[in-house]
Amino acid sequence: MSATSLAALARTSDPQTVLRRFLALDAVVTGANGLAYLVASGPLGRLLGVDSGLLIALGAFLAVYAGGVGLLASRARPAALPVRAVIEANLAWAVLSLVALAVWLSPSTSGAVWTVVQAVTVAGFAALQHTALKARQGSSD
């Protein structure tokens, strides 16, 4: 997603709407990733150089997580504590992905690139959500 697309997505004067949109975008991207891992674990496992069983487990986790984030995004005013939990989970995912790449995984070149790209993307979601949460809290004072 380009910076222009993100700016268009966020274009509103209502911090609440921005936060809900970034949560919804996270849910959609995460859900699509999880479903891809579930339905194409064999081919993706071969492409990425990781075990298809790992992709199935990650896919199931991501699908459930995406559902939770989507539910949170559907709330008129998502509570701050669950939003912070999503932000922290996203940051943990990004860090653990890079640690796994350095310490545990031995993926193909495509898999190594994919791991870094998705870690950066998830960290980006955390940053956008954090910024939107702060803006919402600042506007309600």
Side-chain angles (χ1 to χ4, degrees), residues 1-11 22:
M1 179 160 277
S2 71
T4 304
S5 298
L6 285 173
L9 183 67
R11 190 171 296 134
F22 286 139

Side-chain angles (χ1 to χ4, degrees), residues 100-139:
L101 182 60
V103 175
W104 174 56
L105 293 176
S106 298
S108 64
T109 301
S110 311
V113 169
W114 174 248
T115 301
V116 172
V117 166
Q118 63 82 34
V120 169
T121 300
V122 172
F125 281 136
L128 291 168
Q129 292 157 351
H130 174 74
T131 302
L133 181 62
K134 281 183 64 175
R136 182 185 81 176
Q137 291 169 335
S139 71

Side-chain angles (χ1 to χ4, degrees), residues 35-134:
L35 289 176
Y37 287 175
L38 286 169
V39 300
S41 62
L44 284 174
R46 288 187 293 280
L47 173 69
L48 301 175
V50 297
D51 181 68
S52 62
L54 174 62
L55 290 182
I56 289 171
L58 289 173
F61 170 78
L62 291 174
V64 171
Y65 180 76
V69 175
L71 182 62
L72 186 60
S74 74
R75 303 287 186 221
R77 183 170 172 84
L81 184 61
V83 172
R84 281 191 210 101
V86 167
I87 293 165
E88 290 173 12
N90 283 343
L91 289 173
W93 179 274
V95 169
L96 289 173
S97 293
L98 297 175
V99 168
L101 182 60
V103 175
W104 174 56
L105 293 176
S106 298
S108 64
T109 301
S110 311
V113 169
W114 174 248
T115 301
V116 172
V117 166
Q118 63 82 34
V120 169
T121 300
V122 172
F125 281 136
L128 291 168
Q129 292 157 351
H130 174 74
T131 302
L133 181 62
K134 281 183 64 175

Side-chain angles (χ1 to χ4, degrees), residues 8-36:
L9 183 67
R11 190 171 296 134
T12 178
S13 60
D14 179 25
Q16 182 62 40
T17 302
V18 173
L19 176 60
R20 292 179 64 220
R21 286 179 181 174
F22 286 139
L23 288 168
L25 181 61
D26 185 355
V28 168
V29 171
T30 301
N33 195 31
L35 289 176

